[in-house]
Amino acid sequence: MFLTTFCASISTAAALLFATTAFAADQPQQKPGDWTVKDFRFHTGEVLPELKLHYMTIGEPTGEPVLVLHGSNGSGQTMLGPQFAGELFGPGQPLDADKYFLIVTDALGSGKSSKPSNGLRMAFPKFTYEDQVRAQYRLLTEHLGVKHLKLIIGQSMGGMHAWMWGEMYPDFMDVLVPMGSQPVAMSGRNWVLRRMLVNAVKADPGWNNGNYTEEPPTFKYVATFFSLATAGGTQSFFRRAPTRALADKLVEQRLAQEFTADANRLYLCL
């Protein structure tokens, strides 16, 4: 495999690209669902007695099936905003839900699917992109009865999953659309920033080896730093904050926003 271990980052790129509010009310109905995999085996050999996988479908099962994959630290909801679903899933649009059966998943470790912050924390099995893709495959084939996909589309981490699908199950889909990703191991600045973020949180006395009662204070600051450093674009930030005073105001606004991420998800970067 040419992709290394998944690092569950706190990147908010997905939130910046795709609003988390549902797309227009006149769009097809979303149908949520959950499925529990019994005794799911991870690449490490660890077995989780029950692995919950959350998903949403749009359109009828009679349509050509399409798998939609979200970015890191996001959920399927990040793919249902007006800037993504609103441009693709509506009548006459490229992935018209009247023609396609759209399956939007919460990846293993994200959203309403099983994840470390559900209770196991550091005892949650360490997982990779491969584990996440295998869970998606089992959801499609064993629960939804999908035997072949017309297309897989994903952004950021979801794009990496799309590449993995092409390697692991090359005959299962007709088309791959990986966005904001490359079929190479995580390395360079991307990995360095993530590794520094993890080290900073683990150095916080409040971390307590993941057994904290409140989020380690450092987490909010390094998460905000990572988000500012990796999403938004230099020119866009300069237009919003062309002076030091406006830049300071921007930082203060970001730090004042509600922060709901869970530091336990970072242990996957070990």
Short mmCIF file of all heavy atoms in Angstrom, two decimals, residues 10-37:
data_model
loop_
_atom_site.label_atom_id
_atom_site.label_comp_id
_atom_site.label_asym_id
_atom_site.label_seq_id
_atom_site.Cartn_x
_atom_site.Cartn_y
_atom_site.Cartn_z
N ILE A 10 -7.22 17.73 13.04
CA ILE A 10 -8.28 18.64 13.40
C ILE A 10 -8.48 19.68 12.31
O ILE A 10 -9.06 20.73 12.54
CB ILE A 10 -7.97 19.33 14.75
CG1 ILE A 10 -6.53 19.84 14.81
CG2 ILE A 10 -8.18 18.39 15.89
CD1 ILE A 10 -6.15 20.89 13.84
N SER A 11 -8.04 19.40 11.14
CA SER A 11 -8.18 20.33 10.02
C SER A 11 -9.63 20.71 9.82
O SER A 11 -10.52 19.87 9.86
CB SER A 11 -7.66 19.70 8.73
OG SER A 11 -7.95 20.54 7.63
N THR A 12 -9.90 22.00 9.59
CA THR A 12 -11.26 22.43 9.32
C THR A 12 -11.44 22.80 7.86
O THR A 12 -12.35 23.52 7.50
CB THR A 12 -11.61 23.67 10.17
OG1 THR A 12 -10.65 24.70 9.89
CG2 THR A 12 -11.60 23.34 11.63
N ALA A 13 -10.58 22.27 7.02
CA ALA A 13 -10.69 22.57 5.60
C ALA A 13 -12.05 22.20 5.05
O ALA A 13 -12.65 22.93 4.26
CB ALA A 13 -9.59 21.84 4.82
N ALA A 14 -12.56 21.06 5.47
CA ALA A 14 -13.86 20.63 4.97
C ALA A 14 -14.95 21.62 5.34
O ALA A 14 -15.82 21.93 4.54
CB ALA A 14 -14.20 19.25 5.51
N ALA A 15 -14.88 22.12 6.57
CA ALA A 15 -15.90 23.07 7.01
C ALA A 15 -15.82 24.36 6.22
O ALA A 15 -16.82 25.02 5.97
CB ALA A 15 -15.74 23.36 8.49
N LEU A 16 -14.62 24.74 5.82
CA LEU A 16 -14.46 25.95 5.04
C LEU A 16 -14.95 25.77 3.61
O LEU A 16 -15.49 26.69 3.00
CB LEU A 16 -12.98 26.39 5.02
CG LEU A 16 -12.42 26.84 6.36
CD1 LEU A 16 -10.91 27.03 6.25
CD2 LEU A 16 -13.07 28.14 6.80
N LEU A 17 -14.77 24.59 3.07
CA LEU A 17 -15.16 24.33 1.69
C LEU A 17 -16.64 24.07 1.56
O LEU A 17 -17.29 24.51 0.61
CB LEU A 17 -14.38 23.13 1.15
CG LEU A 17 -12.91 23.36 0.85
CD1 LEU A 17 -12.24 22.02 0.51
CD2 LEU A 17 -12.73 24.33 -0.29
N PHE A 18 -17.20 23.31 2.49
CA PHE A 18 -18.58 22.89 2.37
C PHE A 18 -19.32 23.21 3.66
O PHE A 18 -19.04 22.64 4.70
CB PHE A 18 -18.66 21.38 2.11
CG PHE A 18 -17.76 20.95 0.99
CD1 PHE A 18 -16.76 20.03 1.21
CD2 PHE A 18 -17.93 21.49 -0.27
CE1 PHE A 18 -15.93 19.64 0.19
CE2 PHE A 18 -17.11 21.09 -1.30
CZ PHE A 18 -16.11 20.17 -1.07
N ALA A 19 -20.31 24.11 3.59
CA ALA A 19 -21.08 24.46 4.77
C ALA A 19 -21.78 23.22 5.31
O ALA A 19 -22.20 22.35 4.56
CB ALA A 19 -22.12 25.53 4.41
N THR A 20 -21.92 23.15 6.63
CA THR A 20 -22.49 21.95 7.24
C THR A 20 -24.01 21.99 7.27
O THR A 20 -24.63 21.01 7.63
CB THR A 20 -21.96 21.79 8.67
OG1 THR A 20 -22.28 22.96 9.42
CG2 THR A 20 -20.47 21.56 8.68
N THR A 21 -24.61 23.12 6.90
CA THR A 21 -26.06 23.16 6.85
C THR A 21 -26.55 22.34 5.67
O THR A 21 -25.88 22.24 4.65
CB THR A 21 -26.56 24.61 6.72
OG1 THR A 21 -25.92 25.20 5.57
CG2 THR A 21 -26.20 25.41 7.94
N ALA A 22 -27.73 21.76 5.82
CA ALA A 22 -28.28 20.95 4.75
C ALA A 22 -28.53 21.81 3.52
O ALA A 22 -28.80 23.01 3.63
CB ALA A 22 -29.59 20.31 5.22
N PHE A 23 -28.45 21.18 2.35
CA PHE A 23 -28.66 21.98 1.15
C PHE A 23 -30.13 22.29 0.98
O PHE A 23 -30.97 21.88 1.77
CB PHE A 23 -28.05 21.31 -0.08
CG PHE A 23 -28.46 19.89 -0.33
CD1 PHE A 23 -29.28 19.59 -1.40
CD2 PHE A 23 -28.00 18.85 0.46
CE1 PHE A 23 -29.64 18.28 -1.67
CE2 PHE A 23 -28.36 17.53 0.20
CZ PHE A 23 -29.19 17.25 -0.86
N ALA A 24 -30.46 23.02 -0.07
CA ALA A 24 -31.77 23.63 -0.23
C ALA A 24 -32.92 22.66 0.08
O ALA A 24 -32.85 21.47 -0.21
CB ALA A 24 -31.92 24.17 -1.65
N ALA A 25 -33.98 23.24 0.63
CA ALA A 25 -35.11 22.43 1.08
C ALA A 25 -35.79 21.68 -0.07
O ALA A 25 -36.44 20.66 0.15
CB ALA A 25 -36.12 23.33 1.79
N ASP A 26 -35.65 22.19 -1.30
CA ASP A 26 -36.30 21.54 -2.43
C ASP A 26 -35.48 20.38 -2.99
O ASP A 26 -35.85 19.76 -3.98
CB ASP A 26 -36.61 22.55 -3.54
CG ASP A 26 -35.36 23.24 -4.07
OD1 ASP A 26 -34.30 23.08 -3.44
OD2 ASP A 26 -35.46 23.93 -5.10
N GLN A 27 -34.35 20.10 -2.36
CA GLN A 27 -33.51 18.99 -2.80
C GLN A 27 -34.06 17.67 -2.25
O GLN A 27 -34.86 17.65 -1.33
CB GLN A 27 -32.07 19.20 -2.33
CG GLN A 27 -31.41 20.46 -2.87
CD GLN A 27 -31.17 20.38 -4.37
OE1 GLN A 27 -31.16 19.31 -4.95
NE2 GLN A 27 -30.99 21.53 -5.00
N PRO A 28 -33.63 16.54 -2.82
CA PRO A 28 -34.14 15.22 -2.39
C PRO A 28 -33.93 14.97 -0.90
O PRO A 28 -32.99 15.48 -0.29
CB PRO A 28 -33.32 14.24 -3.23
CG PRO A 28 -32.88 15.03 -4.41
CD PRO A 28 -32.67 16.43 -3.91
N GLN A 29 -34.80 14.16 -0.34
CA GLN A 29 -34.79 13.85 1.09
C GLN A 29 -33.58 13.00 1.48
O GLN A 29 -33.23 12.05 0.79
CB GLN A 29 -36.07 13.11 1.47
CG GLN A 29 -36.21 12.80 2.94
CD GLN A 29 -36.40 14.05 3.78
OE1 GLN A 29 -37.03 15.00 3.34
NE2 GLN A 29 -35.86 14.05 4.98
N GLN A 30 -32.95 13.35 2.59
CA GLN A 30 -31.86 12.56 3.13
C GLN A 30 -32.43 11.50 4.07
O GLN A 30 -33.30 11.79 4.88
CB GLN A 30 -30.90 13.45 3.91
CG GLN A 30 -30.30 14.60 3.13
CD GLN A 30 -29.59 15.59 4.02
OE1 GLN A 30 -29.06 15.22 5.07
NE2 GLN A 30 -29.57 16.84 3.63
N LYS A 31 -31.93 10.28 3.94
CA LYS A 31 -32.39 9.19 4.80
C LYS A 31 -31.21 8.68 5.62
O LYS A 31 -30.32 8.01 5.06
CB LYS A 31 -32.98 8.07 3.94
CG LYS A 31 -34.20 8.50 3.12
CD LYS A 31 -34.70 7.37 2.23
CE LYS A 31 -35.87 7.82 1.37
NZ LYS A 31 -36.33 6.73 0.46
N PRO A 32 -31.16 8.97 6.92
CA PRO A 32 -30.05 8.50 7.76
C PRO A 32 -30.19 7.03 8.09
O PRO A 32 -31.30 6.48 8.11
CB PRO A 32 -30.17 9.37 9.01
CG PRO A 32 -31.63 9.69 9.10
CD PRO A 32 -32.12 9.81 7.68
N GLY A 33 -29.05 6.41 8.36
CA GLY A 33 -29.08 5.01 8.76
C GLY A 33 -27.85 4.65 9.56
O GLY A 33 -26.83 5.36 9.53
N ASP A 34 -27.93 3.55 10.30
CA ASP A 34 -26.81 3.04 11.08
C ASP A 34 -26.73 1.54 10.88
O ASP A 34 -27.76 0.86 10.74
CB ASP A 34 -26.99 3.35 12.57
CG ASP A 34 -26.94 4.85 12.87
OD1 ASP A 34 -25.84 5.41 12.80
OD2 ASP A 34 -28.00 5.42 13.13
N TRP A 35 -25.51 1.04 10.89
CA TRP A 35 -25.29 -0.40 10.80
C TRP A 35 -24.16 -0.78 11.72
O TRP A 35 -23.15 -0.07 11.80
CB TRP A 35 -24.96 -0.82 9.37
CG TRP A 35 -24.78 -2.30 9.19
CD1 TRP A 35 -25.66 -3.28 9.51
CD2 TRP A 35 -23.63 -2.96 8.64
NE1 TRP A 35 -25.14 -4.52 9.18
CE2 TRP A 35 -23.89 -4.36 8.64
CE3 TRP A 35 -22.41 -2.50 8.14
CZ2 TRP A 35 -22.99 -5.29 8.19
CZ3 TRP A 35 -21.50 -3.45 7.67
CH2 TRP A 35 -21.79 -4.82 7.69
N THR A 36 -24.29 -1.87 12.44
CA THR A 36 -23.26 -2.32 13.36
C THR A 36 -22.59 -3.58 12.83
O THR A 36 -23.25 -4.58 12.56
CB THR A 36 -23.86 -2.61 14.75
OG1 THR A 36 -24.44 -1.41 15.27
CG2 THR A 36 -22.76 -3.08 15.71
N VAL A 37 -21.26 -3.48 12.66
CA VAL A 37 -20.47 -4.62 12.22
C VAL A 37 -20.01 -5.37 13.47
O VAL A 37 -19.44 -4.78 14.39
CB VAL A 37 -19.22 -4.17 11.43
CG1 VAL A 37 -18.50 -5.38 10.83
CG2 VAL A 37 -19.61 -3.19 10.34
#
